[in-house]
Amino acid sequence: MSANGAASAAPVTWLEAWARPEGGARVREAFRARFGTEPDGVWSAPGRVNVIGEHTDYNGGLCMPMALPHRTYVALRRREDDTVRLASAQEAAGGVWTRRLADVAPGTVEGWAGYVVGVAWALAQAAHPVPGFDAVVDSCVPYGAGLSSSAALESAFAVALDEVAGIGLAGDDAGRAALAQACIRAENEIAGAMTGGMDQTASLRCRAGHALVLDTRDGSTRHFPFDLAAHGLALLVIDTRAPHQLADGQYAARRATCEAAARTLGVATLRDVGDLEAALALLDDEVARRGVRHVVTEIARVELVEQLLAAGDVDAVGPVLTAAHASLRDDYEVSCPELDLAVDTAILAGALGARMVGGGFGGSAVALVRTDAVGHVAEAVSAAFAAAGRTAPAFLVATPDGPAARD
Ligand code: ADP
Ligand code: MG
């Protein structure tokens, strides 16, 4: 409080995206400094934010991610042997990580390098052998913020290795779907992190200026123009900076609950639940019932948002986001105090709607905000976090960027 009793303004932190040439130059320079030679090239891949459709991707459901202008950059040079040498500006303390690709298998790699050599391993498993390589990474995708820095890292290497090994999958969407599969295997089997498939699909298969609807039952995608500014609106991303405590175990538990419920209901995945009330009547367990209710209603919300956007009724998306948050908080129980504070404060400050994004228990929220209210909402959320004694949040305005590519 200031002397006159007004709440003192909390400073607002914006997470700036690097311009593509800047990111490329940065990582190229770091490669030269580290390895004393020129890389074969520079590639980058975006983080993503999911507009709607959370915890649906492992249930055969729908989700609606879009790529962020925040990207992970890789400078890479092919080697003639099967050695990999890796460095990341985000993991500078670790120096250079070195391993032979022949020694990479599930359970053998710890830490961030698993996301990288996992992609090489998965490509080799899919009969696309890749050579050794030297590479340097730098990124403006925030870590662990639910904006998918892990998929950005995998996807940047997927397109880099695709090119230097002459595989040629990145040239069309079917090939990119195969690259996304390699990234998913890398994350699940080598990095040892559970993930559905939305993140890798968004990073490899999105289109600039468009949001993507991914149908995870058959892997099909639909792209549609996503220009909120034309409607006087913006998608404000709020990184709560809350650490993802419990996230891995809770994710696995939610996933197991959904899979068990699908078995009880006699369906392949919860996507195939036609009649929600009838399904709920068949489940004895309250946690399973609430889990099924979240997944089934969330898939319906993706369909609703797609219809609203197609009809140009963009304001009406706000309450759907808020309903999704209530479902994630109350039925799926994956929110946390910081996410609830961000969502509630954004709505009080005038957002049309808001919800947590990503797996939960920390990470980011999104708010649909009138363009002229973005600064006000960010200030209100920053002030609420300061008043609650929480770590200061950080913000970005999401505009849809293009997919993983050579820079
Ligand atoms: P999210 O994908 O939501 O950002 P994850 O926990 O899935 O969070 O992935 C974060 C992990 O991915 C990091 O802990 C690190 O291991 C790896 N990672 C992501 N970006 C980089 C990077 N630029 N350099 C090195 N490792 C990275
Ligand atoms: Mg991730």
Side-chain angles (χ1 to χ4, degrees):
M1 291 291 200
S2 61
N4 64 10
S8 51
V12 174
T13 304
W14 291 96
L15 295 166
E16 303 294 343
W18 300 337
R20 294 276 286 267
E22 181 197 344
R26 226 175 147 118
V27 82
R28 186 179 285 276
E29 185 48 45
F31 186 97
R32 280 194 205 108
R34 176 70 72 179
F35 295 116
T37 179
E38 284 292 318
D40 292 336
V42 169
W43 293 261
S44 69
R48 64 97 189 95
V49 66
N50 187 22
V51 179
I52 185 93
E54 217 64 79
H55 288 280
T56 56
D57 65 343
Y58 52 86
N59 285 300
L62 302 170
C63 52
M64 191 187 286
M66 55 173 263
L68 292 172
H70 299 69
R71 301 177 75 92
T72 294
Y73 294 82
V74 171
L76 183 144
R77 184 183 174 98
R78 173 195 169 114
R79 294 174 59 99
E80 296 311 319
D81 58 17
D82 87 332
T83 297
V84 172
R85 294 191 296 169
L86 291 175
S88 167
Q90 282 66 51
E91 299 280 349
V96 177
W97 183 94
T98 304
R99 187 76 59 90
R100 292 186 53 214
L101 281 176
D103 297 332
V104 173
T108 64
V109 184
E110 298 216 328
W112 73 274
Y115 294 90
V116 175
V117 290
V119 175
W121 171 84
L123 287 170
Q125 294 287 310
H128 300 299
V130 300
F133 53 91
D134 294 334
V136 167
V137 178
D138 204 348
S139 178
C140 60
V141 183
Y143 254 47
L147 303 177
S148 213
S149 67
S150 59
L153 179 64
E154 293 149 10
S155 301
F157 275 93
V159 290
L161 295 175
D162 180 66
E163 186 174 332
V164 298
I167 302 170
L169 287 171
D172 61 31
D173 191 58
R176 282 173 172 263
L179 290 178
Q181 285 306 323
C183 293
I184 294 164
R185 286 198 70 184
E187 184 147 349
N188 289 341
E189 297 177 51
I190 302 295
M194 295 292 272
T195 176
M198 164 172 63
D199 305 350
Q200 295 79 3
T201 302
S203 193
L204 281 156
R205 299 174 65 194
C206 61
R207 286 190 197 151
H210 292 68
L212 177 88
V213 172
L214 167 64
D215 185 333
T216 62
R217 181 158 56 184
D218 59 10
S220 64
T221 55
R222 300 189 285 278
H223 302 265
F224 57 90
F226 195 68
D227 183 6
L228 293 177
H231 296 270
L233 294 167
L235 194 66
L236 178 67
V237 178
I238 307 163
D239 174 7
T240 66
R241 302 258 174 105
H244 281 270
Q245 273 157 2
L246 309 171
D248 287 353
Q250 295 287 348
Y251 178 94
R254 296 301 180 284
R255 208 170 158 148
T257 297
C258 291
E259 285 161 6
R263 278 195 298 277
T264 304
L265 296 171
V267 289
T269 66
L270 294 183
R271 173 70 178 284
D272 300 319
V273 171
D275 180 339
L276 176 59
E277 293 308 321
L280 295 181
L282 290 172
L283 295 167
D284 303 324
D285 180 54
E286 181 58 18
V287 172
R289 262 206 301 275
R290 285 193 272 120
V292 170
R293 189 163 60 204
H294 166 69
V295 172
V296 173
T297 61
E298 184 77 356
I299 293 169
R301 280 186 288 271
V302 180
E303 289 170 331
L304 175 57
V305 167
E306 193 181 359
Q307 286 159 15
L308 291 170
L309 290 172
D313 193 2
V314 186
D315 283 22
V317 170
V320 188
L321 299 184
T322 307
H325 186 72
S327 180
L328 288 158
R329 181 191 60 209
D330 302 334
D331 271 345
Y332 220 53
E333 298 185 285
V334 291
S335 191
C336 67
E338 293 89 341
L339 287 167
D340 292 341
L341 181 63
V343 165
D344 295 346
T345 309
I347 292 170
L348 271 175
L352 278 62
R355 71 175 194 88
M356 54 153 282
V357 296
F361 304 104
S364 297
V366 289
L368 186 67
V369 180
R370 295 211 188 286
T371 317
D372 57 10
V374 165
H376 171 67
V377 170
E379 279 165 23
V381 173
S382 297
F385 272 60
R390 304 258 181 220
T391 306
F395 300 85
L396 61 95
V397 171
T399 49
D401 204 61
R406 184 170 183 139
D407 277 76

